[in-house]
């Protein structure tokens, strides 16, 4: 998902606490039998969609989405889809305010890590059973859940892969991709680093490193790769104090500690394009940027799945579609959501925008893996996992970002980071 600024997030988190209290106090006029995590699935009626569907689309005006809306209208002549673009940096605030005020559109895109928080605000209808979870990658489907109830449909998948400059890695004697196991991967980075200023005169560091905001996206899979987690959903407790988390922190810090990555918040994308770094972990969007901004590098970079220690696991994020509790035309909205997430339409949208579809069948129908650089992302989606579906997740994620930065800069030890994370996460809690 694309996430708003820290300031906006914290402001809205404060707002949400207030809003939730109001919603709980009033019950929003809804049945006592319904509510977050206890909602019956919505139903999609027979026949074609009718009436107006108002949808918020996050990001810039999306002409490719509007093209799909036209196709939907052709198939449903009595339906009219109106799409309004909502910039990402104000989307969280706008969505939560609309839910609190009962002034929502019929449906919206929703950042995957916001789903639990907004479902807990009693904002969304539960997903109809006619939309099958088995049609999507399990990790992507899990992004729609709150208290084991699904409140949306995956629309855009997001995960990370490793980009590497073949012109630079070849000079380090690496034929093809870097090693897929963590120890071998580190050895390859060391071999690349040894060419800096020599065979690769411009190279400064073998790898780029994401520091600060959203660095948790790159670290949390390292915990899952150890066969562990940071949160036990059965007991509702955080588990930052385990040996597996310690190992994941050690692995994360080992790259900058050995001088294999910068610690100065460098522009990783630009550094990769300029040949200052040879390897970089990022989402699929980066490939489009490289092609657009540095077409002379086409054919000189490739992708590979993320390296792992005990088991391969990747991050599952992205954007889901949700229909609001206060939708004026929920039946048509669900029909449009169902239409957009049909494999053929997901494939069309992905080809037009460069985004990743959350459905394996969409990859097949769109023949997306014919693009060699997308194969690594397809592999990652097969083993992707969603972060904990708790309403306080953004606060927990911010805390992880802060502690990872201290660890990277040598201002905290692994043990100190573990102790701080366990203490602060427990204090923040899991919300509603």
């Amino acid at each position: 998902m694309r996430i708003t600024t820290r300031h906006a997030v914290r402001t809205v988190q404060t707002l949400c606490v207030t809003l939730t209290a109001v919603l709980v106090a009033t019950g929003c006029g809804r049945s006592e039998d319904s509510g977050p995590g206890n909602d019956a699935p919505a139903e999609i009626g027979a026949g074609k969609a009718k009436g107006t569907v108002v949808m918020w689309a996050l990001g810039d005006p999306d002409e490719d989405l509007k093209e799909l809306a036209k196709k939907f209208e052709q198939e449903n002549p009595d339906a009219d889809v109106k799409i309004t673009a909502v910039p990402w940096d104000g989307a969280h605030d706008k969505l939560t305010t609309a839910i609190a005020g009962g002034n929502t559109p019929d449906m919206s895109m929703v950042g995957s890590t916001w789903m639990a928080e907004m479902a807990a605000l009693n904002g969304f209808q539960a997903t109809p059973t006619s939309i099958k979870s088995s049609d999507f990658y399990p990790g992507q489907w899990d992004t729609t859940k709150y208290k084991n109830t699904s409140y949306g449909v995956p629309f855009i998948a997001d995960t990370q892969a490793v980009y590497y400059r073949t012109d630079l890695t070849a000079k380090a004697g690496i034929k093809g991709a870097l090693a897929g196991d963590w120890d071998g991967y580190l050895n390859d980075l060391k071999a690349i680093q040894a060419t800096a200023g020599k065979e690769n005169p411009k190279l400064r560091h073998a790898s780029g490193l994401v520091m600060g905001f959203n660095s948790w996206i790159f670290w949390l899979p390292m915990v899952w790769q150890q066969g562990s987690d940071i949160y036990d959903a059965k007991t509702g407790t955080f588990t930052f104090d385990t040996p597996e988390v310690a190992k994941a922190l050690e692995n994360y810090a080992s790259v900058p500690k050995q001088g294999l990555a910068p610690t100065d918040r460098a522009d990783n994308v630009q550094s990769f394009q300029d040949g200052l770094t040879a390897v970089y972990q990022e989402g699929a969007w980066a490939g489009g940027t490289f092609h657009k901004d540095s077409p002379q590098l086409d054919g000189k970079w490739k992708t590979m799945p993320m390296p792992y220690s005990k088991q391969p696991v990747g991050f599952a994020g992205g954007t889901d579609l949700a229909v609001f509790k206060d939708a004026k035309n929920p039946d048509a909205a669900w029909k449009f959501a169902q239409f957009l997430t049909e494999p053929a339409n997901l494939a069309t949208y992905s080809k037009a925008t460069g985004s990743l579809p959350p459905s394996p069948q969409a990859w097949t129908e769109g023949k997306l893996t014919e693009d060699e650089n997308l194969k690594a992302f397809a592999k990652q989606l097969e083993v992707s996992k969603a972060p904990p579906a708790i309403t306080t997740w953004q606060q927990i994620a911010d805390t992880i970002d802060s502690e990872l930065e201290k660890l990277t800069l040598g201002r905290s030890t692994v043990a100190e980071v573990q102790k701080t994370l366990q203490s602060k996460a427990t204090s923040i809690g899991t919300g509603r």
Side-chain angles (χ1 to χ4, degrees):
M1 64 168 294
R2 303 288 181 262
I3 300 177
T4 185
T5 63
R6 287 170 182 265
H7 174 75
V9 167
R10 287 171 178 151
T11 300
V12 173
Q13 284 164 347
T14 303
L15 173 66
C16 288
V17 171
T18 305
L19 296 178
T20 302
V22 173
L23 290 168
V24 169
T26 62
C28 293
R30 298 183 175 118
S31 167
E32 293 181 356
D33 295 330
S34 66
N38 192 37
D39 289 296
E43 296 183 0
I44 301 178
K48 295 184 179 296
K50 297 178 180 178
T52 300
V53 178
V54 180
M55 175 181 179
W56 286 351
L58 307 189
D60 297 329
D62 191 337
E63 296 303 321
D64 300 304
L65 180 63
K66 291 181 179 178
E67 285 300 314
L68 285 175
K70 290 179 182 176
K71 181 181 175 184
F72 178 77
E73 290 170 342
Q74 290 169 355
E75 295 180 7
N76 299 270
D78 294 329
D80 179 23
V81 180
K82 297 185 181 301
I83 299 174
T84 300
V86 177
W88 272 102
D89 59 3
H92 184 282
D93 196 351
K94 187 175 180 71
L95 285 165
T96 51
T97 301
I99 291 170
N103 188 29
T104 67
D106 295 297
M107 60 187 292
S108 180
M109 293 182 183
V110 181
S112 61
T113 57
W114 301 344
M115 289 296 294
E117 175 190 352
M118 295 181 187
L121 290 173
N122 216 14
F124 303 143
Q125 296 187 10
T127 309
T129 55
S130 55
I131 298 177
K132 303 296 184 184
S133 62
S134 56
D135 290 341
F136 301 87
Y137 291 107
Q140 294 300 139
W141 185 262
D142 284 347
T143 67
T144 69
K145 288 183 176 178
Y146 175 65
K147 292 185 176 180
N148 292 321
T149 297
S150 176
Y151 285 94
V153 193
F155 182 49
I156 299 172
D158 187 19
T159 194
Q160 278 69 48
V162 175
Y163 291 81
Y164 61 97
R165 287 272 301 259
T166 56
D167 56 334
L168 303 182
T169 57
K171 293 179 180 177
I174 299 172
K175 298 179 180 178
L178 280 67
D181 66 289
W182 183 254
D183 290 339
Y185 182 77
L186 271 184
N187 286 334
D188 281 344
L189 291 185
K190 292 174 185 175
I192 297 167
Q193 189 68 47
T195 68
K198 302 173 185 175
E199 292 87 349
N200 287 313
K202 293 175 62 178
L203 189 72
R204 296 293 177 269
H205 295 91
S207 176
L209 177 74
V210 174
M211 279 184 56
F213 191 51
N214 275 352
S215 55
W216 66 268
I217 290 176
F218 300 88
W219 173 74
L220 187 53
M222 292 181 170
V223 179
W224 297 331
Q225 290 174 6
Q226 297 293 326
S228 187
D229 210 331
I230 61 168
Y231 176 68
D232 185 338
K234 292 182 179 178
T235 61
T237 57
F238 292 99
T239 54
F240 284 102
D241 53 356
T242 65
E244 290 84 4
V245 170
K247 186 63 178 177
L249 289 169
E250 290 169 2
N251 285 347
Y252 179 85
S254 64
V255 177
K257 185 177 181 180
Q258 297 181 67
L260 304 176
T263 57
D264 57 358
R265 296 199 181 198
D267 183 336
N268 289 299
V269 173
Q270 192 62 53
S271 293
F272 186 86
Q273 291 173 300
D274 292 344
L276 303 180
T277 58
V279 179
Y280 177 46
Q281 299 174 1
E282 191 49 272
W285 63 268
T289 299
F290 298 150
H291 175 67
K292 177 183 176 184
D293 296 344
S294 300
Q296 72 278 10
L297 294 180
D298 286 354
K300 294 182 179 179
W301 58 266
K302 291 186 176 181
T303 61
M304 57 172 275
M306 300 281 275
Y308 65 92
S309 45
K310 292 185 178 179
Q311 59 184 17
V313 186
F315 167 75
T319 305
D320 299 328
L321 301 174
V323 174
F324 292 97
K325 281 270 180 78
D326 290 312
K328 293 180 176 61
N329 192 357
D331 183 69
W334 278 118
K335 284 174 176 168
F336 188 46
Q338 191 170 37
F339 168 86
L340 288 175
T341 53
E342 290 174 357
N345 291 330
L346 284 174
T348 297
Y349 187 74
S350 294
K351 282 189 170 183
T353 63
S355 61
L356 302 179
S359 154
Q361 191 176 343
W363 281 80
T364 301
E365 291 200 15
K367 298 180 180 180
L368 299 180
T369 53
E370 289 184 357
D371 182 336
E372 287 292 324
N373 288 320
L374 286 181
K375 287 184 177 179
F377 293 97
K379 287 287 185 185
Q380 288 299 129
L381 289 175
E382 291 174 359
V383 295
S384 64
K385 182 173 178 175
I390 54 178
T391 62
T392 56
W393 175 247
Q394 192 59 56
Q395 291 173 270
I396 302 297
D398 281 352
T399 303
I400 295 173
D401 287 346
S402 176
E403 293 305 311
L404 287 178
E405 183 167 345
K406 292 178 185 175
L407 180 66
T408 301
L409 297 177
R411 294 173 182 167
S412 292
T413 65
V414 167
E416 289 169 341
V417 168
Q418 280 190 278
K419 185 177 180 180
T420 300
L421 285 175
Q422 185 67 16
S423 174
K424 287 188 175 180
T426 302
S427 178
I428 293 169
T430 60
R432 299 166 292 280

